[in-house]
Structure formats: structure tokens, C-alpha cells
Amino acid sequence: MDTKQIARVMKALSNPNRLELYLEILKKCEASFETEDRECLVSDIMCSFNIGAPTISHHLKELTNAGLITTERKGKFLTARVIEQTIDEVKSVLSATTKRKK
């Protein structure tokens, strides 16, 4: 993962509402461990936030553009899934940086 991609991830997560949304998606996806897809319905998450649907949609787009989640329309429902590889790569880069400084 290059530094531009890491910066995109960090920028996406620097917004408090976006970070909360990402963490909520992560929590719901982990709770759905019995399904192989590990995805959640966005409509289940929206009620947790005191912001409108257009703002949620904007934050979802930013998280998608940063490579943190994927969304998919299933009929009239929108599902979200965390891209675990992105976070694993960011963790790897950050831990490698920490190890070099010691």
C-alpha cells in the first residue's frame, strides 16, 4: 500500500461521523459472523445516527473511495461490507514504521 492510499484512509476516518459509521458497519459485520458474506444493511445502521440519509450516503461514498468498505444494492436494500485487507495493510505499514524507529 502506498502513502497516498494510506493518507486517503486516514483522511476518510478523520471525520468523526464517518469514523462512527465505519465502526458501526464493522460491528454489525462482525455480529453477522454466521453468514459467509459478513455484510450489514445500511438501513439498520442509519437509525443510530442523528444525520440525514444524504449525509450518510456521502460518508458511505467517502469510505468506499478510501477502500474501507464496499456497498451493494440488493433489491431495495443497500448492504455494506468492510474490506479487511485495507485495514490489515494500514496496520502493517504503521507497525513497520514503529519497529524501524526503535
Side-chain angles (χ1 to χ4, degrees), residues 10-21 51 58-59 63:
M10 298 298 196
K11 183 178 179 183
L13 295 176
S14 69
N15 178 287
N17 286 328
R18 208 172 294 137
L19 177 59
E20 286 182 43
L21 181 60
I51 52 180
H58 169 73
H59 289 317
L63 292 171

Side-chain angles (χ1 to χ4, degrees), residues 2-3 8 32 41 49 62 91 94:
D2 66 1
T3 54
R8 212 172 301 140
S32 68
L41 292 174
F49 294 92
E62 292 297 321
K91 280 194 250 183
L94 293 177

Side-chain angles (χ1 to χ4, degrees), residues 72-89:
E72 181 180 347
R73 183 137 320 264
K74 292 190 176 182
K76 64 178 184 173
F77 297 103
L78 183 66
T79 62
R81 181 179 310 128
V82 171
I83 301 174
E84 294 178 22
Q85 180 183 354
T86 301
I87 293 300
D88 290 342
E89 289 177 11

Side-chain angles (χ1 to χ4, degrees), residues 18-68:
R18 208 172 294 137
L19 177 59
E20 286 182 43
L21 181 60
Y22 177 77
L23 293 174
E24 193 65 27
I25 292 169
L26 183 61
K27 185 168 59 171
K28 294 281 187 188
C29 287
E30 286 177 350
S32 68
F33 66 91
E34 61 273 350
T35 64
E36 191 173 305
D37 290 338
R38 295 185 69 155
E39 59 189 19
C40 66
L41 292 174
V42 172
S43 58
D44 290 347
I45 295 170
M46 288 180 63
C47 61
S48 304
F49 294 92
N50 194 20
I51 52 180
T55 306
I56 295 281
S57 179
H58 169 73
H59 289 317
L60 290 171
K61 181 181 175 188
E62 292 297 321
L63 292 171
T64 301
N65 289 342
L68 289 163

